[in-house]
């Protein structure tokens, strides 16, 4: 009798477990951010600065990004689709045929411990520490470094996570922030990411990219490296230090090349659970205008200071003052070129 009872119990448990295991699990999330920005250079063009792609409208109340995300999980597979709209989309997806998909990919775990996985489709970028949504960023606006490296990639990602401390990923993509491949006979780009968590509050990241990109005449090799260290020191202080270096061949027929680099340091201080502030200093050097199209060599130093009010865990009200100073006159004021730029931005966001 006992044996029969044990067998029946095991049968029922196994049946219930398998039913639960085979069920579809669906989760929804979203983000919407409104903003207003005033540029004291008073630009007359549609965008404030040609090398910035967020909050880039002057003297206008508008939406930076509205995002609705769905994730479906079934056994060892999952799929993610995110719909988007806003000025972020207008500026970052101007050359894309598919504009309103922020993410669209399918993932597969290759082992029961979820150490190995594949993802295929439109993926969030593996480069940098600032995302398109402001919730996880220490500052309101994005660094020049982040604005001029990819926010998204399209291709294949292989991920290996051997432990809580280490994560390794390899990528095969359509290129530098592309959904549609620009030229069909160009080989896919490759990349890698290494994440090392020295502790629960410290992260070291190294990401690389190599592939052919347009240099103004034809497609030639681009090599890129991104490093950053993110450290939460205590309940009050958190810092991020980042450094980018890139190299682009100027032609596919000769060995001439040009490089660019950028560094950034951000310190955030939590005054109390409702108030935060952050200071940023950054530098961007692109003398050959590989990444930033300008009338002169781009050698720009930047500073910003923001204050954030968090009425609850879902809402952020943020205000930021930002100043750029360039060695050359690369900013526009009226009909003149000047070497500085100052603007204020405020945003109200809701995340669920």
């Amino acid at each position: 009798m006992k044996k029969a009872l044990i067998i029946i119990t095991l049968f029922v448990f196994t049946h219930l477990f398998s039913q639960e295991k085979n069920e579809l699990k669906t989760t929804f999330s979203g983000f919407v951010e409104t903003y207003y920005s005033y540029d004291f250079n008073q630009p007359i063009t549609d965008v404030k600065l040609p090398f910035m792609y967020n909050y880039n409208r002057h003297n206008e109340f508008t939406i930076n990004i509205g995002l609705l995300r769905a994730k479906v999980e079934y056994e060892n597979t999952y799929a993610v689709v995110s719909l988007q709209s806003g000025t972020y989309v207008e500026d970052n997806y101007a050359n894309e045929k598919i504009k309103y998909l922020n993410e669209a990919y399918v993932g597969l775990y290759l082992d029961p411990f979820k150490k190995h996985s594949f993802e295929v489709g439109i993926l969030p970028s593996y480069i940098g520490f600032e995302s398109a949504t402001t919730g996880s960023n220490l500052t309101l606006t994005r660094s020049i470094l982040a604005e001029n490296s990819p926010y998204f990639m399209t291709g294949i990602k292989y991920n290996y996570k051997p432990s809580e401390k280490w994560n390794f990923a390899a990528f095969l993509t359509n290129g530098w922030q592309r959904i549609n491949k620009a030229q069909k006979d160009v080989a896919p780009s490759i990349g890698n990411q290494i994440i090392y968590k020295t502790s629960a509050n410290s992260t070291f990241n190294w990401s690389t990219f190599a592939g052919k990109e347009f240099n103004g005449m034809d497609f030639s090799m681009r090599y890129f490296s991104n490093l950053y260290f993110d450290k939460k020191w205590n309940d009050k202080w958190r810092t991020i230090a980042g450094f980018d270096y890139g190299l682009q061949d100027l032609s596919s027929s000769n060995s001439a090349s040009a490089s660019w680099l950028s560094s950034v340091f951000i310190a955030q201080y939590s005054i109390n659970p409702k108030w935060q502030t952050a200071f940023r200093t950054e530098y961007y050097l692109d003398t050959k205008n590989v990444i930033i199209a300008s009338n002169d060599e781009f050698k720009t130093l930047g500073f910003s200071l923001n204050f954030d009010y968090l009425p609850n865990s879902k809402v952020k009200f943020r205000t930021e003052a930002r100043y750029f100073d360039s060695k050359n006159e690369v900013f526009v004021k009226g009909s003149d070129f000047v070497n500085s730029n100052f603007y204020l931005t405020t945003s109200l966001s809701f995340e669920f």
Side-chain angles (χ1 to χ4, degrees):
M1 185 67 179
K2 281 187 177 180
K3 288 183 178 179
L5 187 60
I6 291 172
I7 291 171
I8 292 170
T9 303
L10 288 173
F11 175 80
V12 172
F13 177 81
T14 304
H15 183 65
L16 290 173
F17 178 77
S18 63
Q19 278 189 329
E20 181 182 349
K21 183 179 178 182
N22 290 332
E23 286 181 353
L24 283 172
K25 181 183 177 183
T26 306
T27 55
F28 293 95
S29 58
F31 179 84
V32 62
E33 182 178 34
T34 63
Y35 76 95
Y36 173 84
S37 189
Y38 189 87
D39 190 326
F40 286 83
N41 281 8
Q42 297 184 334
I44 58 174
T45 54
D46 188 37
V47 298
K48 300 201 311 285
L49 297 165
F51 58 89
M52 304 298 279
Y53 304 93
N54 283 275
Y55 317 102
N56 208 20
R57 300 297 183 271
H58 165 64
N59 196 24
E60 179 182 341
F61 293 97
T62 187
I63 303 292
N64 185 52
I65 185 171
L67 189 70
L68 183 62
R69 187 175 190 263
K71 182 177 183 180
V72 180
E73 299 172 82
Y74 181 75
E75 294 187 348
N76 63 333
T77 59
Y78 55 94
V80 173
V81 176
S82 299
L83 301 177
Q84 63 179 358
S85 186
T87 58
Y88 162 85
V89 180
E90 293 175 11
D91 293 351
N92 279 280
Y93 294 75
N95 297 320
E96 301 292 346
K97 295 176 182 177
I98 302 173
K99 298 179 184 294
Y100 300 107
L101 285 177
N102 181 277
E103 298 170 295
Y105 62 90
V106 176
L108 172 67
Y109 291 113
L110 303 179
D111 66 294
F113 302 104
K114 299 183 177 180
K115 290 186 176 182
H116 301 266
S117 64
F118 270 109
E119 293 178 348
V120 184
I122 304 172
L123 304 164
S125 175
Y126 62 94
I127 295 172
F129 55 85
E130 293 173 288
S131 69
T133 56
T134 189
S136 60
N137 299 330
L138 302 193
T139 57
L140 167 55
T141 61
R142 313 294 180 262
S143 305
I144 310 177
L145 171 151
E147 290 280 58
N148 293 278
S149 59
Y151 280 113
F152 58 90
M153 298 282 202
T154 304
I156 302 173
K157 172 185 178 181
Y158 166 69
N159 197 76
Y160 173 52
K161 188 175 182 180
S163 67
E164 291 301 317
K165 286 184 176 291
W166 288 96
N167 193 93
F168 303 91
F171 299 83
L172 194 66
T173 68
N174 285 344
W176 183 269
Q177 187 164 288
R178 295 184 188 280
I179 295 178
N180 310 301
K181 199 170 183 183
Q183 191 163 311
K184 305 305 179 185
D185 59 349
V186 173
S189 302
I190 60 173
N192 80 279
Q193 182 180 34
I194 299 173
I195 301 173
Y196 175 55
K197 291 185 175 292
T198 57
S199 70
N201 295 321
S202 300
T203 301
F204 175 81
N205 184 101
W206 180 39
S207 300
T208 66
F209 171 92
K212 287 190 175 182
E213 291 297 322
F214 191 65
N215 57 35
M217 295 183 295
D218 56 11
F219 281 78
S220 59
M221 284 301 298
R222 175 178 297 177
Y223 305 94
F224 181 78
S225 172
N226 164 258
L227 292 165
Y228 72 82
F229 180 66
D230 184 344
K231 173 72 172 179
K232 185 176 181 181
W233 300 91
N234 49 46
D235 292 339
K236 296 290 187 181
W237 287 99
R238 181 182 170 191
T239 60
I240 298 179
F243 179 76
D244 281 2
Y245 180 80
L247 186 71
Q248 172 92 40
D249 291 344
L250 296 180
S251 172
S252 59
S253 59
N254 60 53
S255 59
S257 62
S259 63
W260 73 96
L261 60 86
S262 181
S263 60
V264 60
F265 177 78
I266 304 172
Q268 182 188 67
Y269 179 72
S270 296
I271 302 167
N272 57 48
K274 297 286 187 182
W275 288 93
Q276 294 174 335
T277 185
F279 171 77
R280 169 177 52 201
T281 180
E282 59 185 325
Y283 181 68
Y284 203 98
L285 176 68
D286 185 6
T287 58
K288 299 293 185 180
N289 304 124
V290 178
I291 300 297
I292 297 180
S294 175
N295 64 301
D296 206 336
E297 295 181 347
F298 194 84
K299 302 177 180 179
T300 299
L301 186 67
F303 304 95
S304 72
L305 178 67
N306 66 275
F307 287 94
D308 307 333
Y309 173 58
L310 291 64
N312 56 54
S313 60
K314 304 296 184 184
V315 176
K316 278 191 176 182
F317 178 68
R318 315 186 80 174
T319 301
E320 180 184 275
R322 192 167 189 181
Y323 176 74
F324 292 130
D325 181 72
S326 177
K327 184 176 180 180
N328 301 306
E329 295 180 342
V330 296
F331 303 104
V332 177
K333 187 174 184 179
S335 59
D336 300 321
F337 285 100
V338 295
N339 64 355
S340 65
N341 183 258
F342 176 71
Y343 61 93
L344 298 171
T345 306
T346 184
S347 79
L348 181 64
S349 64
F350 181 86
E351 186 171 14
F352 65 91

